[in-house]
Amino acid sequence: MKTAEIAARYLAYFEKNDHVIVPSASLVSDDPTLLFTVAGMVPFVPYLNGTVPPPFPRAADVQKCIRTNDIEEVGHTARHGTFFQMLGNWSFGDYFKEGAITYAWELLTGSEADGGLGFDEKDLWVTVYETDDEAAALWQRIAGLPAERIQRLGKEDNYWSTGQPGPAGPCSEIYFDRGPKYGRDGGPAVDDSRFTEIWNLVFMQDAIANVRSKTDFDIVGELPNKNIDTGMGLERVAFIKQGVDNMYETDQVRPVLDRAVALSGRPYGAEHEDDIRYRVIADHVRSSLMLLSDGVTPSNEGRGYILRRLMRRAVRAMRLLGVDGPTFPELFAASRDAMAPAYPVVSDDWTRISQYAFAEEETFLRTLASGSTILDLSIAQTKESGGTSLAGTEAFLLHDTYGFPIDLTLEVAEEAGLTVDRAAFDTLMQEQRSRAKADAKNRRRAIADHSVYRDYRAKGETIFTGYTDLETESTVLGILIDGLPADRVRTGQVAEIILAETALYAESGGQVADKGAIIGAGFEADVLDVQKPVPGLVSHTVEVTVGEIGVGDPATSVVDAANRRAARQAHSATHLVHAALRDTLGKSATQAGSLNRAGYMRFDFTWGQALSPETRTEIEEIANNAVRDNLEVTTRVLALDEAKELGAMALFGEKYGDTVRMVDIGGPWSRELCAGTHVSASAEIGLINLVGESSVGAGGRRVEALVGLDAFRDLAAERAIVSQLSSALKVPRDQLPARIADLAASLKAAEKKIAAFETQALAGRAPQLVADARRSGDVTVVAESLGNASSADDVRSLALQVRDRLGAGAAIVALGAVVKERPLVIVATNPAARESGVKAGVLAKAAASALGGGGGGRDDVAQGGGTDAAALPAALQAVVSALESARA
């Protein structure tokens, strides 16, 4: 049974049983404390904890998820994957334990001919919470399970909570017995490898508080509305129904694995370590494909960092399988073809997805090449110093700074006859993980904060009137000070104010929050920020400047009109620039993010190379022509499917409900889904001045523009600068470029002459340096600071000249200088010195240490550098001391 068919059967069954079928939410979670949707319940949290009233009593879905906590386990077990799909059915105060158990058993054991999944009853076991007699009795009555196939487990296994105060409850898990070849008999309590969990039924019935750990908390009462939250792992069911050993061999994943086998030429199933690598590749390529399809792009932070890590682990695994060149064009295409039937977007958006994927692989292959050079140098220095083990700090630096995988470091070091101080490396990695876990824990704590908004959200959605009004009278529904409810807030205090209606725009869709005030009888408050802490609820962070505000007081939200006008101009300009980009570059220039504030806009888009000045000018001209043409701006609220059929574009990372707001500028020329505020006609934008274009990672570019009066002021400032230059250089404006080019050429020629004079003067110091040479034991030493020098090559040339004049006896030359404000030391040794064991690379490293930098090189000539120019005398003394130590 194909994976997509299992999902279809699941949804059809629950639709037949009066569940609303909810489409999967994005992998990019709405929850600000989460990077990704890590579990099927994440999109439903506001309904489950009562923060937002559920729009339906029961629902079912297939939710896309990404979880990277166990990334090191990928490939090692049958069931660990970073991307997975969770089948869920949900009841919000509707059916409870009996309904959940009935539905699960009926679907699992129903015949395939009747739309069920066709599991044999004898292969299924269940676990229940140790005190949940009700669930155990229901399993016996509904499923006819014998008592020995119903196992009771404790809180660690069969009690669910978020780890925070709030809703919780016992759960019941359903397991499939894979048979004796997979482990011991005795049920899931004995062996959870042989007995694979396929479905978890959470009975959300308790309110908990005083949470001390996952298993240590107080149950303080029953929830007024009991909920059902279930999750069945689609990949787990698929590998069982398809008769394969693990999720990597299912129909949606195996094609990538097979393509990797074809590229490497090594068989699958013959060698344990190779098998793990193939599974990592199959999993990570699919996960990367799905993340890219939801608008995540590779970067060095946040979600982008996780994506980059997955992609680079796949490249690393292919390299360890003997493939050094690009493989993503074939691997990603294989994953696309496998996933497209379930997720057509991976095919529809292939141009953009592949652009990012292929560019990231190309970048990392270059990183591996440069990392190999750095590693080779570290290995050479380790050998020169007589060491047999590469320092753990060096391996960690390669991993953390250059993205060079530890597996490859171990492999290359072993080929060079060295080990790696893996214990030190692992310690550094653990410290990094601990910091990451602490950050994650801090983020998780914020989840509990949402509960403070529950009562306010229960009163209904905040009505936004700002599309038409700049002032709106309302009532203060709630006040929060430091996250806690309060009755009043006084002058000088900062608080969150919840209003029933507001004219102030809450930050979203790339548009920053409005500026403004909240006023009433006897009070005034400046608005510092406006956000939506939970869906449908607007919170105003304010500082009270006059009087005090109480819950229930009438209050008027007042928008700063000038700021709103400029923000509207910037947001509408963003739409025009997007349309102009697509006109100029083609449809593959797809939006990947934006930011709009008063007078400024930036727009990120998929594109693999810098825009030429001519292209930038063309984009700017098209956008400003649209301003000149005074195009009508219209907005419509309509069904999401209808908007998509009309060609409306959505911004990646934004979430859309069943109904959406569509903004047209000039009809279909610019048609986007957007909840932001806009001008009524394009001429109101005034002027768009593109001021920047830059890279935002592999395959991504960013344009920035000033808008309206800010654009005019910038151009006026440039005009003033041009006028000053024209006056100072005494040439007309149109001749400025030629005149400046002439001056630059003259300056460059003068600099060359000065450099030549400095080089000549430096070379003339050779006789005096030779005369000043001193003895250190049986070695002649020159260790002098030259002051400023034009280039490191000049210092190197002088060091070699001095060395060659010191005769055949053992001699070293160490010359320090400041080149372009950076200190360096060049060390040169002659054959006699090297024969006695003196190596330039070791001495240069000693100098670099004193300078606060790094160094090394060959035995005959080497260089050290750093950042502390004042330490040059100490660096030269360090060379002499290192020499004396080596000769002792």
Side-chain angles (χ1 to χ4, degrees), residues 212-233:
R212 295 168 289 275
S213 72
K214 181 180 177 182
T215 58
D216 185 13
F217 48 79
D218 298 331
I219 297 176
V220 294
E222 288 192 354
L223 295 174
N225 289 317
K226 295 180 173 64
N227 300 323
I228 289 294
D229 157 13
T230 84
M232 179 159 67

Side-chain angles (χ1 to χ4, degrees), residues 396-569:
F396 182 75
L397 178 70
L398 281 163
H399 165 85
D400 195 49
T401 303
Y402 298 100
F404 199 82
I406 182 61
D407 292 4
L408 291 181
T409 299
L410 292 168
E411 180 183 306
V412 174
E414 183 179 0
E415 290 173 354
L418 297 177
T419 59
V420 176
D421 187 348
R422 187 62 190 265
F425 174 84
D426 289 341
T427 297
L428 292 167
M429 284 297 297
Q430 186 56 47
E431 290 173 356
Q432 187 185 66
R433 290 191 186 105
S434 296
R435 290 192 296 270
K437 285 182 179 178
D439 290 344
K441 188 175 182 180
N442 288 335
R443 287 195 300 269
R444 285 197 299 272
R445 286 197 185 106
I447 294 175
D449 295 342
H450 292 177
S451 63
V452 303
Y453 300 106
R454 181 184 302 128
D455 292 342
Y456 310 130
R457 182 61 181 81
K459 297 175 182 179
E461 294 192 23
T462 307
I463 298 171
F464 176 62
T465 63
Y467 291 132
T468 55
D469 301 325
L470 295 180
E471 293 188 15
T472 294
E473 296 180 357
S474 186
T475 303
V476 177
L477 297 181
I479 298 172
L480 298 171
I481 300 177
D482 295 329
L484 299 175
D487 293 329
R488 308 193 73 75
V489 57
R490 295 173 175 79
T491 301
Q493 288 185 297
V494 173
E496 290 182 66
I497 301 292
I498 312 295
L499 301 175
E501 301 88 14
T502 183
L504 291 154
Y505 184 82
E507 180 178 358
S508 61
Q511 182 174 331
V512 302
D514 272 335
K515 294 180 179 179
I518 294 176
I519 61 176
F523 67 81
E524 295 179 15
D526 289 338
V527 174
L528 307 178
D529 194 14
V530 190
Q531 295 290 333
K532 294 179 179 177
V534 295
L537 186 76
V538 174
S539 170
H540 311 77
T541 300
V542 305
E543 181 178 4
V544 181
T545 56
V546 176
E548 62 180 50
I549 307 173
V551 174
D553 287 352
T556 300
S557 55
V558 181
V559 177
D560 181 324
N563 183 78
R564 166 69 77 80
R565 184 185 307 111
R568 289 166 50 206
Q569 290 173 313

Side-chain angles (χ1 to χ4, degrees), residues 1-3 5-7 10 79 85 87 107-108 117-119 174 176 196-199 231-244 247 250-251:
M1 189 179 293
K2 299 291 187 184
T3 304
E5 183 185 347
I6 296 169
Y10 184 91
R79 59 186 186 272
Q85 299 157 89
L87 305 167
L107 176 60
L108 284 174
L117 295 178
F119 280 91
I174 307 171
F176 176 79
T196 298
E197 178 201 338
I198 56 175
W199 206 340
M232 179 159 67
L234 180 54
E235 281 77 11
R236 296 189 184 191
V237 176
F239 81 69
I240 291 169
K241 293 300 295 180
Q242 292 172 23
V244 295
M247 62 163 287
T250 59
D251 63 299

Side-chain angles (χ1 to χ4, degrees), residues 114-300:
D114 293 332
L117 295 178
F119 280 91
D120 192 323
E121 295 182 11
K122 68 178 178 56
D123 294 327
L124 300 176
W125 292 59
V126 300
T127 61
V128 297
Y129 182 51
E130 56 192 357
T131 62
D132 195 351
D133 297 334
E134 180 187 6
L138 286 168
W139 277 114
Q140 286 184 298
R141 176 168 65 82
I142 294 168
L145 282 174
E148 62 269 20
R149 297 224 312 270
I150 304 171
Q151 297 186 323
R152 294 175 184 254
L153 299 176
K155 287 181 180 176
E156 183 70 30
D157 298 291
N158 276 76
Y159 195 93
W160 178 89
S161 77
T162 64
Q164 304 293 332
C171 59
S172 180
E173 296 176 329
I174 307 171
Y175 289 79
F176 176 79
D177 181 2
R178 302 174 71 198
K181 80 179 222 180
Y182 292 99
R184 296 176 295 160
D185 200 357
V190 174
D191 189 337
D192 65 357
S193 294
R194 169 174 170 171
F195 296 87
T196 298
E197 178 201 338
I198 56 175
W199 206 340
N200 185 16
L201 315 179
V202 177
F203 310 130
M204 206 173 295
Q205 63 188 45
D206 300 328
I208 63 172
N210 304 318
V211 179
R212 295 168 289 275
S213 72
K214 181 180 177 182
T215 58
D216 185 13
F217 48 79
D218 298 331
I219 297 176
V220 294
E222 288 192 354
L223 295 174
N225 289 317
K226 295 180 173 64
N227 300 323
I228 289 294
D229 157 13
T230 84
M232 179 159 67
L234 180 54
E235 281 77 11
R236 296 189 184 191
V237 176
F239 81 69
I240 291 169
K241 293 300 295 180
Q242 292 172 23
V244 295
D245 284 342
N246 53 66
M247 62 163 287
Y248 315 103
E249 298 175 14
T250 59
D251 63 299
Q252 286 187 343
V253 189
R254 181 65 187 248
V256 182
L257 190 154
D258 289 340
R259 195 68 216 128
V261 168
L263 290 169
S264 75
R266 298 187 190 179
Y268 176 66
E271 207 278 322
H272 178 66
E273 290 301 321
D274 280 358
D275 287 355
I276 292 173
R277 289 163 187 152
Y278 282 128
R279 293 168 188 160
V280 166
I281 292 162
D283 172 85
H284 287 8
V285 166
R286 182 172 78 139
S287 300
S288 299
L289 174 78
M290 299 309 296
L291 283 170
L292 285 163
S293 74
D294 269 4
V296 181
T297 56
S299 69
N300 287 327

